[in-house]
mmCIF file of all heavy atoms in Angstrom:
data_model
loop_
_atom_site.group_PDB
_atom_site.id
_atom_site.type_symbol
_atom_site.label_atom_id
_atom_site.label_comp_id
_atom_site.label_asym_id
_atom_site.label_seq_id
_atom_site.Cartn_x
_atom_site.Cartn_y
_atom_site.Cartn_z
ATOM 1 N N ALA A 173 -5.371 18.311 7.325
ATOM 2 C CA ALA A 173 -6.672 17.635 7.236
ATOM 3 C C ALA A 173 -6.494 16.239 6.638
ATOM 4 O O ALA A 173 -5.447 15.995 6.101
ATOM 5 C CB ALA A 173 -7.641 18.481 6.242
ATOM 6 N N PHE A 174 -7.523 15.511 6.818
ATOM 7 C CA PHE A 174 -7.594 14.173 6.215
ATOM 8 C C PHE A 174 -8.375 14.380 4.973
ATOM 9 O O PHE A 174 -9.542 14.882 4.941
ATOM 10 C CB PHE A 174 -8.386 13.128 7.079
ATOM 11 C CG PHE A 174 -7.601 12.787 8.347
ATOM 12 C CD1 PHE A 174 -8.077 13.317 9.589
ATOM 13 C CD2 PHE A 174 -6.543 12.074 8.378
ATOM 14 C CE1 PHE A 174 -7.473 12.940 10.789
ATOM 15 C CE2 PHE A 174 -5.814 11.770 9.546
ATOM 16 C CZ PHE A 174 -6.362 12.216 10.758
ATOM 17 N N VAL A 175 -7.789 14.052 3.831
ATOM 18 C CA VAL A 175 -8.484 14.176 2.450
ATOM 19 C C VAL A 175 -9.121 12.901 2.178
ATOM 20 O O VAL A 175 -8.650 11.821 2.291
ATOM 21 C CB VAL A 175 -7.472 14.424 1.414
ATOM 22 C CG1 VAL A 175 -8.140 14.569 0.061
ATOM 23 C CG2 VAL A 175 -6.639 15.767 1.697
ATOM 24 N N ARG A 176 -10.473 13.048 1.854
ATOM 25 C CA ARG A 176 -11.250 11.794 1.695
ATOM 26 C C ARG A 176 -11.070 10.978 0.453
ATOM 27 O O ARG A 176 -10.845 9.743 0.534
ATOM 28 C CB ARG A 176 -12.781 12.191 1.661
ATOM 29 C CG ARG A 176 -13.704 11.099 1.531
ATOM 30 C CD ARG A 176 -15.164 11.491 1.711
ATOM 31 N NE ARG A 176 -16.019 10.367 1.643
ATOM 32 C CZ ARG A 176 -16.283 9.481 2.516
ATOM 33 N NH1 ARG A 176 -15.728 9.617 3.693
ATOM 34 N NH2 ARG A 176 -17.140 8.440 2.371
ATOM 35 N N GLY A 177 -10.990 11.650 -0.710
ATOM 36 C CA GLY A 177 -10.934 10.899 -1.966
ATOM 37 C C GLY A 177 -9.519 10.850 -2.563
ATOM 38 O O GLY A 177 -8.540 11.504 -2.122
ATOM 39 N N THR A 178 -9.383 10.081 -3.697
ATOM 40 C CA THR A 178 -8.145 10.014 -4.384
ATOM 41 C C THR A 178 -7.759 11.471 -4.905
ATOM 42 O O THR A 178 -8.668 12.195 -5.410
ATOM 43 C CB THR A 178 -8.238 9.113 -5.573
ATOM 44 O OG1 THR A 178 -8.557 7.763 -5.006
ATOM 45 C CG2 THR A 178 -6.997 9.048 -6.406
ATOM 46 N N HIS A 179 -6.519 11.836 -4.802
ATOM 47 C CA HIS A 179 -6.100 13.171 -5.094
ATOM 48 C C HIS A 179 -4.665 13.213 -5.387
ATOM 49 O O HIS A 179 -3.925 12.292 -5.283
ATOM 50 C CB HIS A 179 -6.437 14.036 -3.931
ATOM 51 C CG HIS A 179 -5.730 13.725 -2.610
ATOM 52 N ND1 HIS A 179 -6.053 12.628 -1.947
ATOM 53 C CD2 HIS A 179 -4.703 14.289 -1.932
ATOM 54 C CE1 HIS A 179 -5.358 12.371 -0.832
ATOM 55 N NE2 HIS A 179 -4.467 13.418 -0.795
ATOM 56 N N CYS A 180 -4.331 14.439 -5.896
ATOM 57 C CA CYS A 180 -2.839 14.616 -6.219
ATOM 58 C C CYS A 180 -2.130 15.295 -4.972
ATOM 59 O O CYS A 180 -2.774 16.355 -4.468
ATOM 60 C CB CYS A 180 -2.709 15.550 -7.436
ATOM 61 S SG CYS A 180 -1.027 15.931 -7.908
ATOM 62 N N VAL A 181 -1.054 14.890 -4.617
ATOM 63 C CA VAL A 181 -0.335 15.364 -3.421
ATOM 64 C C VAL A 181 1.090 15.878 -3.780
ATOM 65 O O VAL A 181 1.666 15.286 -4.713
ATOM 66 C CB VAL A 181 -0.219 14.463 -2.308
ATOM 67 C CG1 VAL A 181 -1.663 13.934 -1.821
ATOM 68 C CG2 VAL A 181 0.517 13.095 -2.722
ATOM 69 N N ASP A 182 1.582 16.846 -3.071
ATOM 70 C CA ASP A 182 2.980 17.217 -3.177
ATOM 71 C C ASP A 182 3.742 16.364 -2.073
ATOM 72 O O ASP A 182 3.251 16.435 -0.960
ATOM 73 C CB ASP A 182 3.092 18.759 -2.839
ATOM 74 C CG ASP A 182 2.461 19.633 -3.804
ATOM 75 O OD1 ASP A 182 2.513 19.328 -5.014
ATOM 76 O OD2 ASP A 182 1.874 20.653 -3.472
ATOM 77 N N LEU A 183 4.755 15.755 -2.445
ATOM 78 C CA LEU A 183 5.453 14.889 -1.544
ATOM 79 C C LEU A 183 6.325 15.737 -0.687
ATOM 80 O O LEU A 183 6.996 16.740 -1.131
ATOM 81 C CB LEU A 183 6.334 13.834 -2.407
ATOM 82 C CG LEU A 183 5.473 12.904 -3.317
ATOM 83 C CD1 LEU A 183 6.464 12.002 -4.005
ATOM 84 C CD2 LEU A 183 4.369 12.263 -2.563
ATOM 85 N N THR A 184 6.444 15.272 0.577
ATOM 86 C CA THR A 184 7.267 16.000 1.523
ATOM 87 C C THR A 184 8.696 15.685 1.186
ATOM 88 O O THR A 184 9.126 14.739 0.570
ATOM 89 C CB THR A 184 6.968 15.659 2.981
ATOM 90 O OG1 THR A 184 7.303 14.227 3.196
ATOM 91 C CG2 THR A 184 5.578 15.940 3.291
#
Side-chain angles (χ1 to χ4, degrees):
F174 295 109
V175 179
R176 180 173 180 80
T178 299
H179 58 291
C180 182
V181 298
D182 295 323
L183 303 183
T184 64

